[in-house]
Every structure is written in C-alpha cells, then in structure tokens.
Amino acid sequence: MQKTSDLIWQDTQHQVLFELIDQIKQVPFDPEILDRLKLYAEHHFILEETYMRELSYPHTDSHIEAHNRFRVELAAMIDTDPSMHHSLQVSLSDFLYKWLKLHVLGIDKQLEDFILNSSSK
Ligand SMILES: [Fe+2]
Ligand SMILES: [Fe+2]
C-alpha cells in the first residue's frame, strides 16, 4: 500500500493492517489470521481514539462509529467457518481492504491533519 500518513505510527500501523488483510487470502487459510487482525486493529483504533479524545477532536464520535462498524464486520467474519472456501477468503479480504483504504485515505487523513497541526504529535 502507498504511504497513508505523515504520522509514522499511523502509517506503520496501517501498513501492518493491510498486510494482515492480505494474508486472509492465503492458502491454506490461517485459522488465527482473523483474530490477529482483530487484536491489531483494536490496538490501532484505540490509539487513534485516544488521540481524538486527548485533543478534543471535533469528529471524534463519527470516527469512532466508523471504527465500530469495522469491529462489527470483523466479529461477524470471525464467527464464520474457518475452513472456508478460497472464494470466501478472497471476498472477505477484498471487502476489508476496500473498507480500510477508504477509511485511511478519508477520515483518517482528516485526523492526521488535525494531529499534525496540534502540539502533541
Ligand atoms: Fe487508522
Ligand atoms: Fe481511523
């Protein structure tokens, strides 16, 4: 994935998320990959949400709602049969990839600008 942010921590974490999402397509399916993605996504979302709260970011609620939608989608996927067909692996991976790309190039960029213009980077 192209660079997503001038904040090193944010870009690094996005790159890891894209790599984990890509690994969902791997054959054979790694039964732990969705749990690893969930843990890492949670780590990333909580860090962004902490910045938003600490800096009184004006779009905190809508950004957290977007994170929550991803949390719900991922939880539903974790409930699916891990011995899934490859076509399902590909569609889950593509769905999450597109969601994340829209998110990081959309509302995450607004947050990045806000943090970069604040005193605490
Ligand atoms: Fe992000
Ligand atoms: Fe975000």
Side-chain angles (χ1 to χ4, degrees):
M1 184 61 183
Q2 71 209 65
K3 183 178 172 189
T4 64
S5 172
D6 287 328
L7 292 165
I8 292 167
W9 63 267
Q10 196 184 34
D11 186 55
T12 305
Q13 294 180 359
H14 289 161
Q15 299 304 332
V16 173
L17 287 170
F18 281 113
E19 280 165 28
L20 289 170
I21 286 172
D22 204 48
Q23 285 174 29
I24 296 172
K25 292 181 186 183
Q26 265 179 18
V27 178
F29 178 66
D30 175 354
E32 288 172 9
I33 190 63
L34 293 175
D35 284 322
R36 285 185 16 231
L37 175 60
K38 182 183 169 186
L39 275 177
Y40 199 85
E42 203 49 50
H43 164 71
H44 173 64
F45 290 164
I46 284 175
L47 185 54
E48 283 190 355
E49 289 165 13
T50 302
Y51 267 97
M52 291 185 234
R53 291 197 175 99
E54 290 293 318
L55 299 174
S56 302
Y57 180 57
H59 310 295
T60 298
D61 289 350
S62 55
H63 199 137
I64 292 176
E65 270 173 38
H67 288 173
N68 285 344
R69 283 195 290 276
F70 185 94
R71 287 171 166 121
V72 168
E73 295 288 353
L74 197 54
M77 287 179 192
I78 288 170
D79 283 342
T80 60
D81 183 356
S83 60
M84 57 176 76
H85 288 112
H86 188 241
S87 58
L88 182 56
Q89 288 176 244
V90 171
S91 38
L92 294 186
S93 177
D94 287 351
F95 174 83
L96 293 174
Y97 195 94
K98 279 183 203 138
W99 185 94
L100 188 64
K101 190 172 174 185
L102 274 175
H103 186 84
V104 302
L105 299 178
I107 66 175
D108 272 2
K109 295 298 287 180
Q110 289 179 308
L111 176 62
E112 173 198 352
D113 290 344
F114 188 82
I115 295 172
L116 284 171
N117 287 316
S118 74
S119 50
S120 43
K121 298 168 194 114

